[in-house]
Amino acid sequence: MKKRNGFTVMRKLIGLVKPLAGFMVLAVLMGLFGHLCASFITILGGYAVLFLLDFDTSLTLTVITVCVLLFAVLRSVLRYAEQACNHFIAFKLLALIRDQVFRALRKLCPAKLEGRDKGDLISVITSDIELLEVFYAHTISPAAIAFLFTIVLCVFIGRYHWLLGLLAFVAYLTVGIVIPVIISRLSGEDGIRFRTKSGELSGFVLDSLRGLSETMQYGQGEKRLEEMNMRTDILSEEEARMKRNAGRNVAVTNAVILVSDLAMLFFSTILYQSGRVDFSGVLIPSIALFSSFGPVTALANLGSTLQNTFAAGNRVLDILEETPAIEEVKDKPELIFQEALAEHVTFSYDRETILKDISLKVPKGSVIGITGRSGSGKSTLLKLFMRFWDVSEGMIKISNTNISDINTGNLRDMEAFMTQETHLFHDSIKNNLRIAKLDATNQEIEAACKKASVHEFILSLPQGYDTPVGELGDTLSGGERQRIGLARAFLHNAPFLLLDEPSSNLDSLNEAVILKSLQEERENKTVLLVSHRKSTMRIADTVYSVEGGRMS
């Protein structure tokens, strides 16, 4: 995780407000006038006391009463409008941020997300982004309101005597800035630790749910639960530490406010005794200060909670600012598939060399097979043809063009990739198939399923193609999921098929049907086929062996 200080995180998060700057200005103005109305209701009470004591206030009791009633109504209306505007900004921005995060994840996938904790990513996308609502709805405009409000009240109080205005400024500054900064620094990295451990716990829970059957099978439930409880206790300790800091923040803030109120009363009394101000110079400044800590107190209360919010913002910014390993290519001429070629390809992942000096030619209309032991780099080679990663050395070409110079969309249209593990979304079979071609007709879907030897099975289900597959396709067997994955590849109708162990979970009969379909399609398709099965390799024109990252 990239470390950023609070001001950097705040500056970057504020930068996201630009599309809604007009609404933010409106919220600040309504908040400012709302707080002024609230304070001047009390201040006008002081003027009423002066009027009753026969001081010259230039305000009659009728005017004061009307103004109090008017300010009371305005305060409620402006408060509602300010909160509505702030929450509109917050939730609109959260939607925009989620959209940006998903776009960023799409660019980072799969190279930068390989091996990442999926539970931690889910925590960022959900709870971390949700926490930013505190910042956008209850931090930006309150900070601007507190700044403008402080200026107005300091000028108002300073009209009676500059020393009283200065005292008010010091009080506001201490409560609104000094205390939150000190509390924030004392909190250190509590917020970052809490968000990180929260993400780790989410990942552990997700992992536990996915592996529930294995945990039960081997009697590891108690151990898993013990680990989960330990992680929860650690997270609770972090949260308790943050709440203690928040409690100290409130206690110190209230103490400073009380001292400031007493100081205003004390110094204004001394000025009154020395003849520098009259009685109104004691009453009005004191009442004004007593009733005006609302905006700066809101900032003071954020001193500890913002640690958690900024930590969440830091994790979100990590994703938004992450540089993709593979940049998307656009604005290049569109190509038609002719052949595929790997020239002296070497690829290393995390300093480990996976493939070394691999050369391979896949002519149009051919079926090329690749065999080798697990971990020899066969699947990695297919991913390099898909340009999930860039090669370390050498070159991969499609239609005699380096794939790094082919539009990414064009490359994906020319290739259909079936992985060893078919991922199925929690949706119907039909919608899972349509991922390969969103506008596919029912006839096209059925034709693809027949080629993958899965059509008859789907028709045997209670709802046919509308049957839900459950989360991660857990209502289907491995072979059924694999055939649906192969049907996707057929439905995509790309000229270049990259198949990674397409028959590993199939019986001999279904394997034969699928191989027959590949044979029938070979006039229109070019196939790069990875498999351990000798029976699968019988349809290959040429078979290469990969051992230890080298090809023979």
Side-chain angles (χ1 to χ4, degrees), residues 17 20-29 85-86 89 93 136 140-141:
V17 182
L20 299 170
F23 287 100
M24 184 60 72
V25 171
L26 182 61
V28 169
L29 292 176
C85 196
N86 275 333
I89 294 168
L93 280 172
Y136 289 118
I140 299 180
S141 66

Side-chain angles (χ1 to χ4, degrees), residues 27-29 31-33 35-36 82 138-154 168-169 172-173 175-177 292-300 302:
V28 169
L29 292 176
L32 172 62
F33 289 119
H35 280 291
L36 288 174
E82 177 210 350
H138 305 291
T139 305
I140 299 180
S141 66
I145 290 167
F147 174 74
L148 297 173
F149 182 86
T150 296
I151 294 174
V152 173
L153 264 292
C154 287
F169 176 75
Y172 295 141
L173 183 68
V175 172
I177 296 180
S292 62
F293 277 105
V296 290
T297 301
L299 293 185
L302 291 170

Side-chain angles (χ1 to χ4, degrees), residues 489-501:
F490 284 130
L491 183 61
H492 188 55
N493 200 29
F496 186 26
L497 289 177
L498 299 104
L499 306 179
D500 192 358
E501 300 286 0

Side-chain angles (χ1 to χ4, degrees), residues 375-396:
S376 59
K378 307 184 301 299
S379 298
T380 300
L381 181 59
L382 297 190
K383 293 176 181 178
L384 291 176
F385 272 100
M386 290 292 295
R387 200 173 172 244
F388 286 172
W389 292 275
D390 276 332
V391 299
S392 304
E393 297 177 18
M395 190 179 302
I396 290 181

Side-chain angles (χ1 to χ4, degrees), residues 333-550:
E334 294 290 306
L335 297 179
I336 297 175
F337 181 82
Q338 298 298 329
E339 66 174 4
L341 185 69
E343 294 181 338
H344 304 289
V345 168
T346 296
F347 175 72
S348 300
Y349 184 76
D350 284 343
R351 299 181 181 179
E352 179 185 357
T353 299
I354 308 298
L355 296 171
K356 181 70 175 178
D357 196 27
I358 294 290
S359 293
L360 174 70
K361 186 174 183 179
V362 188
K364 183 177 180 180
S366 65
V367 178
I368 302 299
I370 302 177
T371 63
R373 286 181 290 186
S374 296
S376 59
K378 307 184 301 299
S379 298
T380 300
L381 181 59
L382 297 190
K383 293 176 181 178
L384 291 176
F385 272 100
M386 290 292 295
R387 200 173 172 244
F388 286 172
W389 292 275
D390 276 332
V391 299
S392 304
E393 297 177 18
M395 190 179 302
I396 290 181
K397 294 181 178 180
I398 300 289
S399 300
N400 204 35
T401 303
N402 191 330
I403 59 172
S404 61
D405 294 323
I406 300 175
N407 290 335
T408 303
N410 186 196
L411 182 65
R412 299 289 187 265
D413 287 338
M414 289 190 289
E415 298 177 331
F417 180 36
M418 178 190 169
T419 61
Q420 294 184 38
E421 296 294 331
T422 299
H423 180 87
L424 297 181
F425 295 91
H426 197 173
D427 205 335
S428 67
I429 292 176
K430 183 183 292 183
N431 287 338
N432 267 286
L433 289 164
R434 277 209 169 103
I435 291 171
K437 186 180 180 184
L438 294 177
D439 59 350
T441 64
N442 290 338
Q443 291 75 18
E444 288 175 321
I445 291 174
E446 291 179 8
C449 289
K450 287 175 181 178
K451 293 176 185 177
S453 186
V454 74
H455 175 67
E456 295 299 329
F457 162 73
I458 295 173
L459 290 183
S460 70
L461 298 173
Q463 300 177 55
Y465 280 85
D466 293 318
T467 302
V469 299
E471 188 174 8
L472 300 178
D474 56 8
T475 60
L476 304 177
S477 69
E480 291 157 358
R481 289 196 297 270
Q482 192 169 37
R483 282 182 282 164
I484 290 175
L486 188 58
R488 274 180 181 165
F490 284 130
L491 183 61
H492 188 55
N493 200 29
F496 186 26
L497 289 177
L498 299 104
L499 306 179
D500 192 358
E501 300 286 0
S503 59
S504 58
N505 292 317
L506 303 181
D507 56 36
S508 299
L509 180 60
N510 281 308
E511 181 191 23
V513 173
I514 289 170
L515 294 178
K516 182 175 181 293
S517 296
L518 290 174
Q519 284 279 27
E520 292 173 350
E521 289 285 316
R522 63 183 301 154
E523 290 185 7
N524 303 315
K525 306 291 183 196
T526 302
V527 182
L528 185 56
L529 177 64
V530 167
S531 181
H532 288 92
R533 288 188 174 186
K534 292 183 179 180
S535 56
T536 301
M537 285 299 160
R538 288 173 186 167
I539 68 167
D541 301 316
T542 306
V543 178
Y544 294 90
S545 176
V546 177
E547 297 294 338
R550 293 182 178 273

Side-chain angles (χ1 to χ4, degrees), residues 24-312:
M24 184 60 72
V25 171
L26 182 61
V28 169
L29 292 176
M30 289 189 295
L32 172 62
F33 289 119
H35 280 291
L36 288 174
C37 286
S39 293
F40 273 90
I41 289 173
T42 309
I43 293 170
L44 286 170
Y47 280 112
V49 171
L50 293 176
F51 177 82
L52 294 174
L53 294 175
D54 293 328
F55 281 87
D56 182 16
T57 63
S58 70
L59 292 174
T60 66
L61 197 58
T62 301
V63 172
I64 292 172
T65 303
V66 171
C67 287
V68 167
L69 293 174
L70 178 62
F71 287 172
V73 173
L74 283 175
R75 168 58 176 163
S76 60
V77 172
L78 290 171
R79 176 64 174 171
Y80 176 84
E82 177 210 350
Q83 289 299 306
C85 196
N86 275 333
H87 283 87
F88 169 78
I89 294 168
F91 293 121
K92 187 71 174 178
L93 280 172
L94 293 188
L96 292 173
I97 290 171
R98 282 197 175 94
D99 181 67
Q100 290 183 33
V101 167
F102 278 110
R103 288 175 183 271
L105 289 174
R106 178 178 171 275
K107 292 179 180 179
L108 295 175
C109 184
K112 284 292 184 75
L113 300 185
E114 189 81 12
R116 282 282 296 269
D117 188 334
K118 301 303 184 291
D120 187 54
L121 284 175
I122 291 172
S123 178
V124 173
I125 295 168
T126 54
S127 60
D128 283 347
I129 292 179
E130 196 66 31
L131 267 175
L132 296 183
E133 186 268 340
V134 175
F135 179 75
Y136 289 118
H138 305 291
T139 305
I140 299 180
S141 66
I145 290 167
F147 174 74
L148 297 173
F149 182 86
T150 296
I151 294 174
V152 173
L153 264 292
C154 287
V155 171
F156 176 77
I157 294 173
R159 288 173 60 250
Y160 290 90
H161 196 279
W162 67 268
L163 182 61
L164 301 180
L166 179 61
L167 177 60
F169 176 75
V170 172
Y172 295 141
L173 183 68
T174 303
V175 172
I177 296 180
V178 175
I179 292 177
V181 169
I182 292 175
I183 294 295
S184 178
R185 290 187 175 179
L186 289 176
S187 299
E189 296 185 351
D190 288 350
I192 293 176
R193 283 197 301 271
F194 179 79
R195 296 313 313 163
T196 301
K197 292 184 183 300
S198 178
E200 291 172 354
L201 179 60
S202 296
F204 185 82
V205 172
L206 180 63
D207 195 36
S208 298
L209 290 174
R210 285 179 172 173
L212 192 57
S213 58
E214 285 78 6
T215 301
M216 294 173 64
Q217 177 183 349
Y218 295 107
Q220 296 298 311
E222 289 296 327
K223 183 177 180 181
R224 200 76 184 175
L225 182 60
E226 182 181 340
E227 174 74 11
M228 191 179 298
N229 287 335
M230 184 189 72
R231 289 172 180 259
T232 303
D233 291 340
I234 292 173
L235 189 64
S236 297
E237 290 174 7
E238 294 289 343
E239 187 175 19
R241 185 182 296 110
M242 294 174 65
K243 289 187 180 297
R244 285 194 295 271
N245 288 335
R248 283 194 291 268
N249 184 22
V250 173
V252 172
T253 298
N254 290 337
V256 170
I257 289 174
L258 179 60
V259 170
S260 300
D261 290 341
L262 293 175
M264 177 62 75
L265 189 59
F266 176 76
F267 283 108
S268 61
T269 301
I270 290 178
L271 292 174
Y272 172 73
Q273 290 176 343
S274 64
R276 297 182 185 180
V277 298
D278 58 13
F279 180 68
S280 65
V282 178
L283 182 64
I284 301 302
S286 297
I287 290 176
L289 188 66
F290 294 172
S291 64
S292 62
F293 277 105
V296 290
T297 301
L299 293 185
N301 292 336
L302 291 170
S304 53
T305 58
L306 276 184
Q307 279 292 310
N308 202 11
T309 304
F310 284 163

